[in-house]
Amino acid sequence: MINKQSNVYTIGYITAMVVIVGAALAFTAMSLKDRQTENADADKMKQILQSVHVTSDRATIVEDYHRYITSTLVVNSAGEQINGVDAFNVNVTAETKRPLADRQLPVYICTLPDAGTKYIIPLAGMGLWGPIWGYVSLDSDGTTIYGAFFDHEGETPGLGAEITKPDFTDQFNGKQMFKNGQFLPVTVVKKGQVPQGDMDYVDGISGGTITSKGVGAMLDDCLLPYKAYLETLRNN
């Protein structure tokens, strides 16, 4: 007869329960992996479309994405296309940590029935409390911003988290990336201030200084590598 009061029984029982629970959790995680990937992809598609002012619900997001995003490509910092790389699967956060010349730069080409062709560029950076990211869409001239979308992982509600709101994002509409022949990504400044130089600018979030600076740094770091590619759009 098994002595249920013994240390051997107790250790064996605990070990068996750990194995059973671990196996159940692993099975559940594997079962949900495809659904989790689908949800993450759908959320990314929704954010990309929001940068061109297209709003979709969960039921139609995949269909809307494939309707409006007519093609994608990946370029390098010289503006040359990189073959064999899926733009949607490029980890933009990881790319920002690589040398400029080695980066893979995704471009989403969008066709809007009433507004023509737009070029969407993904962004990734850091705010006050964690990662921030977004998408900026440009007109076919390669310089005029058509729309912008930003999101965050854990910025403070009412402060840094305001980067998601139209009061902030709508300021980017119509801003120029090239001024007087120079490539000058839009900068973010403290409200009421004006930057030195010719670059276009937007007002930062009141009380969200560090997050606003994070957005500005993200724009500089992520848009600068696209200079050569955007110049080809301007020339065409």
Side-chain angles (χ1 to χ4, degrees):
M1 177 177 288
I2 299 175
N3 181 6
K4 294 184 178 181
Q5 302 301 319
S6 68
N7 290 336
V8 174
Y9 176 83
T10 301
I11 294 172
Y13 179 80
I14 293 174
T15 301
M17 289 302 297
V18 168
V19 171
I20 292 171
V21 172
L25 291 174
F27 175 78
T28 301
M30 291 177 63
S31 300
L32 295 176
K33 184 176 180 180
D34 289 344
R35 182 175 297 180
Q36 291 171 339
T37 300
E38 289 176 1
N39 289 339
D41 287 350
D43 190 48
K44 182 175 179 177
M45 292 176 184
K46 184 176 181 179
Q47 294 178 9
I48 291 170
L49 291 181
Q50 283 183 272
S51 73
V52 288
H53 312 297
V54 173
T55 303
S56 298
D57 57 35
R58 184 66 180 85
T60 63
I61 182 59
V62 176
E63 178 183 349
D64 289 343
Y65 176 84
H66 290 292
R67 177 189 302 129
Y68 294 113
I69 303 301
T70 49
S71 62
T72 63
L73 68 155
V74 177
V75 299
N76 59 24
S77 60
E80 303 162 335
Q81 185 168 348
I82 303 173
N83 296 319
V85 181
D86 183 353
F88 194 84
N89 292 326
V90 172
N91 185 327
V92 177
T93 300
E95 292 301 312
T96 62
K97 296 175 173 60
R98 302 177 68 187
L100 191 66
D102 297 335
R103 292 192 196 181
Q104 297 179 342
L105 309 171
V107 180
Y108 300 88
I109 302 174
C110 174
T111 303
L112 300 173
D114 300 324
T117 302
K118 310 300 174 188
Y119 296 84
I120 303 171
I121 296 173
L123 314 167
M126 288 295 295
L128 173 60
W129 301 114
I132 57 176
W133 62 90
Y135 298 89
V136 168
S137 62
L138 302 172
D139 285 337
S140 57
D141 62 4
T143 184
T144 307
I145 295 180
Y146 181 72
F149 169 88
F150 302 107
D151 208 345
H152 63 93
E153 185 174 285
E155 299 307 292
T156 307
L159 298 174
E162 296 296 297
I163 62 172
T164 66
K165 302 296 180 61
D167 284 347
F168 181 69
T169 59
D170 286 353
Q171 295 183 80
F172 288 84
N173 300 346
K175 302 297 185 183
Q176 302 291 309
M177 302 284 291
F178 288 88
K179 299 295 289 289
N180 298 323
Q182 291 184 298
F183 184 69
L184 301 170
V186 177
T187 189
V188 182
V189 300
K190 187 175 182 180
K191 191 172 183 178
Q193 294 185 349
V194 177
Q196 295 181 344
D198 295 328
M199 73 281 285
D200 278 353
Y201 65 94
V202 301
D203 291 331
I205 303 297
S206 297
T209 302
I210 296 179
T211 307
S212 298
K213 288 182 178 179
V215 173
M218 177 173 69
L219 291 167
D220 283 341
D221 184 46
C222 293
L223 293 177
L224 181 61
Y226 287 88
K227 176 184 177 182
Y229 176 72
L230 296 178
E231 284 179 332
T232 65
L233 297 181
R234 293 181 70 222
N235 294 334
N236 290 333

